[in-house]
């Protein structure tokens, strides 16, 4: 499926025919051992997946509170900065922040870390979707995730506004970050549906293909910031919802490839392509 074809019925647990209310409660540790697989469980707390090689499959992840640490799922230990050294896989899950009433949920990602393989998840109810934040050689694969219904507002003391990014890349040192066939909707305080900002380290080798992007700001932002982004950014066959400032903004190299990108037109299925975009 293309990003603009995703919805709550064909992603996450519903997409693989599982009634989330039938799942047993997870009683394992917050930081599972290396190479653990957790499958078909309801998880009501955070997960710290820093031991590496961990797979979360067909789970309903619905925390009841925020840890005030910035995410529901981490691929590192957020208290001491211990990072996983092998990829983390999260597939066919519902990651659901709607049970949290603490305003700090507005600052929480669904998944935050590096070496993230996230496929076919239904993600909603937190402040941000998926964030890459560490410079290592692991690749990331973000494919066919339905990221929608993000929540935003002010949190903390002193009060500050949330960002509301469906996906952000702040650091990436691998040979390929593939962002493919995702639904990236962010209609709250936002830096962009896909916000690429070289804040923590350099960024390069990102392919953005087959996605639906919808935001009141620029849909894709490429920001040099402190460390800079490289010349191998590819933007191919995406659909941009025409609101806000525009489809893409950049303050460094233009994307290496920008081809077959269109404004979204709901009345022209299955490609749903409206006017072509020439950046």
């Amino acid at each position: 499926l293309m990003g603009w074809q995703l919805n709550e019925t064909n992603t996450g647990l519903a997409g693989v025919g599982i009634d989330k209310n039938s799942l047993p409660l997870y009683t394992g540790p917050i930081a599972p051992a290396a190479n653990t697989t957790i499958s078909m469980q309801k998880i009501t707390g955070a997960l710290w997946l820093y031991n590496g090689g961990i797979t979360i499959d067909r789970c309903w992840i619905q925390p009841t509170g925020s840890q005030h640490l910035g995410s529901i799922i981490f691929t590192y230990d957020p208290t001491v900065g211990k990072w996983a050294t092998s990829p983390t896989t999260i597939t066919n899950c519902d990651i659901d922040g709607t049970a949290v009433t603490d305003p700090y949920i507005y600052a929480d990602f669904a998944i935050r870390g590096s070496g993230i393989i996230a496929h076919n998840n239904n993600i909603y109810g937190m402040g941000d979707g998926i964030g890459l934040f560490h410079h290592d050689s692991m690749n990331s694969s973000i494919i066919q995730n339905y990221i929608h219904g993000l929540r935003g507002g002010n949190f903390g003391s002193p009060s500050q506004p949330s960002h509301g990014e469906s996906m952000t890349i702040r650091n990436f040192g691998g040979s390929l970050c593939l962002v493919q066939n995702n639904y990236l909707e962010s209609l709250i305080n936002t830096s962009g549906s896909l916000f690429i900002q070289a804040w923590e380290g350099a960024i390069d080798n990102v392919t953005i293909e087959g996605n639906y992007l919808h935001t009141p700001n620029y849909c894709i932002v490429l920001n040099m910031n402190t460390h800079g982004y490289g010349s191998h950014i590819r933007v191919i066959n995406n659909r941009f919802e025409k609101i806000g400032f525009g489809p893409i903004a950049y303050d460094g190299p233009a994307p290496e490839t920008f081809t077959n990108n269109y404004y979204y037109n709901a009345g022209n299925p299955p490609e749903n392509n409206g006017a072509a975009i020439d950046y």
Side-chain angles (χ1 to χ4, degrees), residues 45-260:
L47 290 170
W48 298 3
L49 307 180
Y50 57 80
N51 286 314
I54 295 168
T55 296
I56 312 296
D57 175 56
R58 292 171 293 164
C59 289
W60 180 16
I61 303 158
Q62 188 191 52
T64 56
S66 171
Q67 299 181 98
H68 296 196
L69 293 173
S71 195
I72 294 170
I73 300 171
F74 294 91
T75 70
Y76 61 100
D77 182 337
T79 63
V80 298
K82 178 183 177 182
W83 290 79
T85 57
S86 53
T88 298
T89 300
I90 302 168
T91 59
N92 305 312
C93 292
D94 278 26
I95 307 176
D96 170 8
T98 60
V100 182
T101 58
D102 184 341
Y104 267 89
I105 192 66
Y106 304 153
D108 285 340
F109 283 84
I111 310 168
R112 177 173 179 150
S114 67
I116 297 170
I117 301 169
H119 294 181
N120 196 46
N121 299 292
N122 182 13
I123 295 172
Y124 54 98
M126 64 293 298
D128 302 277
I130 297 172
L132 299 177
F133 278 86
H134 190 51
H135 194 84
D136 54 41
S137 62
M138 289 191 292
N139 291 338
S140 285
S141 172
I142 314 300
I143 298 177
Q144 200 167 302
N145 299 283
Y146 182 50
I147 303 177
H148 63 109
L150 299 179
R151 295 193 285 162
N154 293 327
F155 65 95
S157 181
S159 180
Q160 56 186 306
S162 59
H163 276 225
E165 297 147 1
S166 291
M167 184 175 174
T168 189
I169 305 171
R170 306 297 179 91
N171 200 340
F172 178 69
S175 61
L176 178 62
C177 176
L178 180 60
V179 183
Q180 185 178 62
N181 295 3
N182 300 283
Y183 186 103
L184 303 176
E185 176 193 77
S186 181
L187 301 180
I188 55 177
N189 295 334
T190 182
S191 304
S193 289
L194 176 54
F195 186 53
I196 301 175
Q197 182 189 63
W199 171 48
E200 293 195 339
I203 297 168
D204 203 359
N205 304 313
V206 180
T207 295
I208 304 159
E209 182 175 9
N211 303 284
Y212 168 86
L213 303 108
H214 188 185
T215 178
N217 200 341
Y218 289 101
C219 291
I220 298 174
V221 175
L222 299 171
N223 177 227
M224 297 286 283
N225 203 265
T226 304
H227 300 279
Y229 64 84
S231 59
H232 303 101
I233 309 294
R234 304 169 184 90
V235 184
I236 304 165
N237 193 32
N238 299 282
R239 301 293 178 269
F240 297 83
E241 190 76 12
K242 191 177 181 180
I243 64 171
F245 296 112
I248 186 168
Y250 52 92
D251 61 1
E256 177 186 50
T257 303
F258 191 96
T259 185
N260 294 331

Side-chain angles (χ1 to χ4, degrees), residues 1 7-20 22-23 39-40 56-60 91-94 119-122 144:
L1 295 172
N7 56 50
E8 291 177 323
T9 69
N10 58 26
T11 56
L13 291 164
V16 289
I18 293 174
D19 177 3
K20 63 186 179 183
S22 68
L23 298 177
S39 182
M40 297 188 67
I56 312 296
D57 175 56
R58 292 171 293 164
C59 289
W60 180 16
T91 59
N92 305 312
C93 292
D94 278 26
H119 294 181
N120 196 46
N121 299 292
N122 182 13
Q144 200 167 302

